[in-house]
Amino acid sequence: MSVIGEAALSGFLDLLVGKSLESALKFVADHNQLHQQLKQWQSILPDIQAVLDDAEEKQIKNMGVKNWLQDLQDLAYDVDDILDEFAYEELRLKLKKSQAQASTSKVRKLIPTCCTSSNFTPTSFLFKNSMIPKVKEITDRLNSLTTRRSSLGLSDILSQAPISKGKQPRLQPTSVVDGGVDYVGRHKEKTEMIELLKGDTSNGVSVLSIVGMGGMGKTTLAQLVYNDATINESFDLKAWVCVSDNFDAIAITKAILQSITSESCDYSNLDLLQVKLKEKLSGKRFLLVLDDIWNENYNDWTILRSPFGAGTTIIVTTRLQIVSSIVDPLKVFHLDKLSDDDCLSIFTQHALKARNFDGHLLFKEIGEKIVRRCKGLPLAAKAIGSLLRTVKYHGEWERIYESEIWNLPEEQCGIIPALRLSYHHLPSDLKRCFAYCSILPKDYEFKEEEMILLWRAEGLLQQKAMPQIKDLGNQYFQDLVSRSFF
């Protein structure tokens, strides 16, 4: 089951156990058989929900658990469909009642006093009877999942991490560096890159490439160089574009042009864009960062770089060595893993707001073990540090260290195990809000207010006091930002 599937399942169960099921129970209050069945759902679902964290972790090595989660997800969708049927029928009856309120119903006089519930009509009684087999089937499947849950040894290990308030967001990798963090481990590479950038560029376009696996700090190194004071003195114009896996020459060129002119650009013709860009760059020293390139097509690269001439230097970051070869760099910077000391500094800055464990001796031994599991990856150290930022329980640090997710290869789960682990330990309400963001295009820039409205429309902000929903959305957003997810 995918990460997003897990979050959707967790969110589904939250919603089903809550308002949707409560509403259905009220609607069938006059139907004893249905009411008893739905009361069983209300009892069983929270017990299943309580073992989700354990199941999501154990599925890595246990195919039986993986199948159990898949069956639970299928069941959750079926439960949702049935509750929708109840909600629709209730709404239909209310509408019909309001339309017929002025007239006297002859049928109602024939109904026995024992059946005069506000939800009772002959048609509603027939509808509820027709739902009995569907509801009974769901109850049987829920009981089966409960039995299998016990045989698989799944247990309740709900996260203890409290919700916290965070800082203002930086939504995606940009040229901006976090001034509150002391960056370590790339001083040598930064110094060498700056010296090369300040050199003579009169012979044409110069390219420097930064190559390394995900989480190694390629973007961070580019940010540090881009924002260095001596670089600002050496270049007339600068631009930063996050390229990612959608290598669109028109969009990239437009982004560069808008960056150096600070004006909107309505051109959609590549030739017009490139002519305009070439005019703006004439006689200027220009620094361009193209962050996170995946495109291996040499022709696409030559088309994109055609407006650039003498005075232009380009920094390219990529995970792929073949991309670095295609851009024909003056110098390639291969980023290796950081030392344990550097990783420890990154980890403690985010977990403890300190450079080391000197003032936090209780966490020193377990913290150093966790840092070694980050295997020299700065992003892993940051992610796990952020996860533990508000956790003051030694047992929770132990549980993070002992998690089986560390043993999951990156190629199997598609993300660094440390990042999956930090996602896995999110509270369920934050998990489903974060997962919802995955439907947005990669590198799409969204604003806090926009995200909160989307979460609200999807029913992800569950709170009784409607006027306070916006405040709840703000809290969720800021908490995700503070945990380094956005």
Side-chain angles (χ1 to χ4, degrees):
M1 179 180 291
S2 69
V3 168
I4 304 310
E6 294 163 11
L9 179 56
S10 176
F12 247 161
L13 294 184
D14 270 347
L15 296 172
L16 298 181
V17 173
K19 189 176 180 180
S20 297
L21 187 51
E22 285 285 351
S23 178
L25 275 165
K26 291 178 182 177
F27 180 61
V28 301
D30 58 351
H31 197 292
N32 188 54
Q33 191 171 354
L34 278 182
H35 195 264
Q36 287 183 352
Q37 294 283 322
L38 293 189
K39 287 295 286 185
Q40 287 190 57
W41 293 14
Q42 195 176 44
S43 173
I44 296 172
L45 281 170
D47 291 339
I48 290 177
Q49 188 178 23
V51 303
L52 268 185
D53 278 353
D54 194 27
E56 288 169 5
E57 185 166 333
K58 286 181 177 176
Q59 68 164 320
I60 296 167
K61 292 184 177 180
N62 190 322
M63 185 56 68
V65 175
K66 190 178 184 70
N67 291 336
W68 183 87
L69 274 172
Q70 185 59 61
D71 290 344
L72 176 57
Q73 186 175 46
D74 292 341
L75 179 63
Y77 282 115
D78 291 341
V79 169
D80 190 48
D81 287 342
I82 287 179
L83 294 180
D84 278 347
E85 287 190 59
F86 282 124
Y88 174 80
E89 179 66 11
E90 183 177 18
L91 184 63
R92 187 187 70 80
L93 291 174
K94 285 181 179 177
L95 181 62
K96 185 177 180 181
K97 183 179 179 180
S98 66
Q99 291 173 340
Q101 206 164 19
S103 62
T104 303
S105 172
K106 296 181 181 179
V107 176
R108 191 169 182 81
K109 295 178 182 178
L110 301 176
I111 299 174
T113 305
C114 63
C115 297
T116 56
S117 162
S118 60
N119 284 331
F120 186 90
T121 67
T123 53
S124 77
F125 188 74
L126 291 174
F127 166 79
K128 290 169 186 174
N129 278 343
S130 72
M131 294 297 291
I132 293 174
K134 294 182 182 180
V135 172
K136 179 66 167 59
E137 188 216 356
I138 295 294
T139 306
D140 292 342
R141 288 164 66 187
L142 280 170
N143 285 321
S144 174
L145 284 172
T146 300
T147 302
R148 288 166 61 193
R149 178 199 70 188
S150 300
S151 65
L152 290 168
L154 300 177
S155 58
D156 180 355
I157 53 167
L158 293 177
S159 172
Q160 301 178 38
I163 293 178
S164 60
K165 292 186 178 180
K167 302 175 182 178
Q168 289 301 311
R170 181 162 59 94
L171 302 181
Q172 67 171 55
T174 68
S175 64
V176 180
V177 293
D178 184 353
V181 176
D182 185 9
Y183 292 91
V184 297
R186 301 299 182 200
H187 179 73
K188 178 184 175 183
E189 291 89 346
K190 175 187 173 183
T191 301
E192 187 175 354
M193 288 188 73
I194 289 173
E195 289 304 313
L196 288 170
L197 290 172
K198 289 162 65 178
D200 183 17
T201 59
S202 60
N203 294 326
V205 179
S206 298
V207 180
L208 303 179
S209 66
I210 305 174
V211 183
M213 65 181 288
M216 198 60 74
K218 301 181 297 296
T219 298
T220 299
L221 175 58
Q223 290 170 333
L224 294 173
V225 171
Y226 188 86
N227 287 281
D228 186 83
T230 60
I231 290 299
N232 291 332
E233 296 171 359
S234 301
F235 289 89
D236 303 305
L237 298 169
K238 297 192 304 180
W240 178 292
V241 179
C242 187
V243 178
S244 296
D245 48 6
N246 182 26
F247 193 95
D248 183 339
I250 293 177
I252 296 170
T253 306
K254 185 181 292 189
I256 296 170
L257 192 56
Q258 289 176 335
S259 181
I260 64 176
T261 62
S262 299
E263 299 172 358
S264 61
C265 178
D266 297 327
Y267 299 132
S268 58
N269 180 283
L270 182 60
D271 180 62
L272 290 175
L273 286 167
Q274 291 195 334
V275 169
K276 186 78 171 176
L277 180 59
K278 191 169 184 177
E279 291 175 356
K280 293 291 183 182
L281 297 179
S282 179
K284 303 287 180 62
R285 290 206 67 185
F286 176 53
L287 174 61
L288 171 64
V289 174
L290 296 174
D291 186 37
D292 194 26
I293 294 185
W294 291 78
N295 191 309
E296 302 175 19
N297 190 307
Y298 176 73
N299 187 55
D300 288 349
W301 168 250
T302 56
I303 291 173
L304 179 67
R305 64 171 284 173
S306 57
F308 308 119
T312 293
T313 302
I314 303 174
I315 298 175
V316 167
T317 74
T318 181
R319 295 188 187 190
L320 308 177
Q321 179 58 47
I322 187 172
V323 171
S324 178
S325 301
I326 286 172
V327 301
D328 190 22
L330 174 67
K331 170 81 176 180
V332 181
F333 291 85
H334 292 279
L335 297 193
D336 202 357
K337 295 179 179 179
L338 294 181
S339 67
D340 282 347
D341 285 343
D342 286 336
C343 259
L344 187 146
S345 177
I346 293 172
F347 174 83
T348 53
Q349 283 188 72
H350 289 280
L352 303 170
K353 298 181 181 178
R355 290 298 301 271
N356 51 50
F357 288 101
D358 288 352
H360 308 270
L361 296 180
L362 175 64
F363 296 102
K364 180 177 172 62
E365 183 179 357
I366 187 62
E368 288 176 344
K369 288 182 179 180
I370 291 174
V371 168
R372 285 194 289 273
R373 284 208 147 183
C374 292
K375 297 181 179 179
L377 294 176
L379 183 58
K382 178 183 178 182
I384 299 300
S386 299
L387 170 65
L388 295 172
R389 182 176 59 84
T390 58
V391 177
K392 305 304 179 186
Y393 315 102
H394 190 274
E396 183 69 7
W397 284 51
E398 287 277 3
R399 192 159 75 84
I400 293 293
Y401 171 71
E402 293 169 357
S403 173
E404 291 183 354
I405 291 178
W406 288 105
N407 302 319
L408 187 65
E410 180 180 351
E411 59 271 16
Q412 184 174 339
C413 67
I415 51 176
I416 299 171
L419 297 185
R420 182 183 175 95
L421 187 66
S422 60
Y423 162 82
H424 175 76
H425 284 274
L426 281 175
S428 60
D429 49 1
L430 292 182
K431 187 182 287 186
R432 63 178 183 259
C433 286
F434 173 65
Y436 177 81
C437 299
S438 69
I439 70 173
L440 302 175
K442 191 173 182 180
D443 298 316
Y444 171 75
E445 292 191 33
F446 54 84
K447 296 182 179 179
E448 180 176 357
E449 183 71 21
E450 175 187 4
M451 202 73 253
I452 292 170
L453 288 173
L454 290 171
W455 287 340
R456 179 175 179 177
E458 289 295 324
L460 301 181
L461 304 179
Q462 294 300 302
Q463 186 161 305
K464 291 181 179 178
M466 291 298 289
Q468 296 177 359
I469 278 186
K470 186 177 184 297
D471 294 336
L472 182 64
N474 292 138
Q475 180 183 338
Y476 283 4
F477 190 95
Q478 296 299 331
D479 198 40
L480 284 172
V481 171
S482 72
R483 293 167 184 264
S484 297
F485 285 100
F486 266 116

